[in-house]
Amino acid sequence: MTMPFQPAAFPYARPRRLRSQPWVRRLVAETTLTPADLIWPLIVHDGPEDRQPVASMPGVFRLSPKEAAKAAVEARDLGIPMVALFPNVNDSLKDAVGTAASDPDGLIPDCIRAIKDAAPEIGVMTDVALDCYTDHGHDGVLENGRIVNDPTLERLAEQAFIHAHAGADAVAPSDMMDGRVQAIREALEANGLSDTLIISYAAKYASAFYGPYRDAVGSSKSLTGDKKTYQMDFANAEEALREVAMDLSEGADALIVKPGLPYLDIVRLVSQTFKVPTFAYQVSGEYAMMQAAFANGWLDPDRAILESLHAFKRAGASGVISYFAPQAARMMG
Ligand code: PBG
């Protein structure tokens, strides 16, 4: 960064003057974090229990549709604008092509309707990908050991339509197939759903930090191999710009960079280059790491949570998808 002026030298310049009191620190803060910056991811399930703990994510529960509706009411009361839904469906519903992903009476449509009944003013975003519904745990259709792109697009468009038709405000493709934003946008337009947002996981990396999530949604036990033929290589940054440009040209309204803290450079690059609403996802592994440190007394949650979320705002994110959302919103309140 080049300076537009030569700063004064010590002792005239004393940067500590602007840090000397809480009021002046507040006055000169370059970024703010409020509950309106947060999206709360909810893991929902079709099992008999109302709430089922997720071992690798202390404090996170798989919720029944009824409990998801209660969480949405809580989100609304905390000033959180949106929840994001991720499903754990019974293994008996899973097959090679993820048929259950586009069941109009499936778990996600049920949850959308329950949430919209209980808290209509809350935004609902859904994950568009097949991994939670396939018996092989991949986000696309598997043929002869390969994830096939174009046949997957039809499945994703159908899934997105079912979500939007059930009342989802935003669909968020997280599968990383080529051309999926266009396929989804066309399906929505063709069905009179032109107001549904597409918030695209445009830059999503093949990451070890998704581990606890795959336990939460029940895809880790079946996942064969890795997702490196469709999710991005963590060695790359320039490629994120091409992915984002493509998704915007296909009709995405907003973007997600995922994971979060290890990819702050990408959040910065994307938000500064495109100036389109960009969200960061503080993913399950980041959450689990921090919870493990809190449980051991190695980090102070009250300080570390807000600091980590603030980092995303500083990097240029419009907001953050975080499992800490309700806890953080309560700390702000
Ligand atoms: C895949 C999907 C993933 C997450 C949400 N949707 C990652 C993956 O399994 O590849 C990760 C979320 C998290 O780790 O918190 N459709």
Side-chain angles (χ1 to χ4, degrees):
M1 219 190 299
T2 52
M3 291 273 181
F5 65 99
Q6 187 68 34
F10 179 81
Y12 306 107
R14 289 184 181 270
R16 289 183 54 193
R17 279 196 288 262
L18 292 176
R19 296 177 207 138
S20 60
Q21 298 286 335
W23 66 262
V24 71
R25 292 196 292 270
R26 275 200 294 140
L27 193 64
V28 303
E30 294 175 35
T31 53
T32 54
L33 179 72
T34 75
D37 294 313
L38 301 172
I39 298 172
W40 182 9
L42 302 176
I43 314 282
V44 294
H45 78 152
D46 55 8
E49 302 102 315
D50 280 343
R51 296 166 70 84
Q52 197 181 60
V54 178
S56 52
M57 299 178 74
V60 170
F61 295 81
R62 300 183 189 97
L63 306 174
S64 66
K66 199 177 81 202
E67 288 294 309
K70 281 194 209 160
V73 168
E74 187 185 346
R76 179 197 61 200
D77 294 345
L78 286 167
I80 296 171
M82 183 147 87
V83 295
L85 302 180
F86 299 93
N88 176 309
V89 301
N90 194 285
D91 284 342
S92 66
L93 296 176
K94 299 184 182 181
D95 61 21
V97 295
T99 305
S102 45
D103 177 359
D105 298 314
L107 174 62
I108 291 294
D110 275 355
C111 288
I112 296 168
R113 287 187 285 261
I115 289 171
K116 285 291 170 184
D117 268 350
E121 49 290 269
I122 266 277
V124 178
M125 167 172 134
T126 60
D127 195 58
V128 176
L130 303 180
D131 55 325
C132 298
Y133 307 93
T134 51
D135 52 18
H136 46 72
H138 280 288
D139 293 28
V141 173
L142 185 67
E143 276 175 18
N144 305 319
R146 295 188 66 233
I147 304 301
V148 286
N149 197 85
D150 299 9
T152 301
L153 298 183
E154 284 169 44
R155 301 281 310 114
L156 297 172
E158 219 180 317
Q159 182 185 23
F161 162 72
I162 293 294
H163 292 175
H165 187 67
D169 302 286
V171 291
S174 72
D175 54 284
M176 289 302 280
M177 296 301 120
D178 297 333
R180 86 267 208 222
V181 173
Q182 182 181 355
I184 292 168
R185 184 54 86 202
E186 280 170 2
L188 295 176
E189 285 294 322
N191 288 284
L193 292 163
S194 51
D195 289 340
T196 307
L197 303 181
I198 299 179
I199 304 183
S200 172
Y201 286 89
K204 174 169 174 180
Y205 287 83
S207 172
F209 290 93
Y210 306 145
Y213 167 89
R214 292 181 189 167
D215 285 341
V217 298
S219 68
S220 50
K221 51 188 184 295
S222 47
L223 183 64
T224 43
D226 56 44
K227 300 191 179 183
K228 289 182 179 175
T229 68
Y230 46 106
Q231 297 178 347
M232 287 176 56
D233 182 348
F234 54 68
N236 299 348
E238 297 283 328
E239 188 185 9
L241 297 178
R242 298 198 293 276
E243 282 283 0
V244 166
M246 218 174 134
D247 285 8
L248 290 175
S249 75
E250 292 176 21
D253 299 286
L255 310 164
I256 301 170
V257 172
K258 177 180 183 182
L261 283 191
Y263 294 82
L264 274 190
D265 58 326
I266 309 298
V267 175
R268 176 62 145 205
L269 187 64
V270 166
S271 61
Q272 276 199 341
T273 307
F274 292 95
K275 311 215 182 290
V276 166
T278 302
F279 298 92
Y281 197 147
Q282 185 174 48
V283 299
S284 58
E286 301 175 63
Y287 174 86
M289 245 179 354
M290 288 172 68
Q291 286 289 9
F294 302 156
N296 280 291
W298 295 335
L299 283 178
D300 173 2
D302 289 344
R303 295 172 55 207
I305 292 172
L306 292 183
E307 183 180 334
S308 71
L309 294 172
H310 215 115
F312 295 109
K313 292 297 298 290
R314 198 181 60 238
S318 312
V320 192
I321 305 169
S322 172
Y323 300 95
F324 288 121
Q327 200 177 339
R330 276 191 292 272
M331 290 191 271
M332 294 172 207

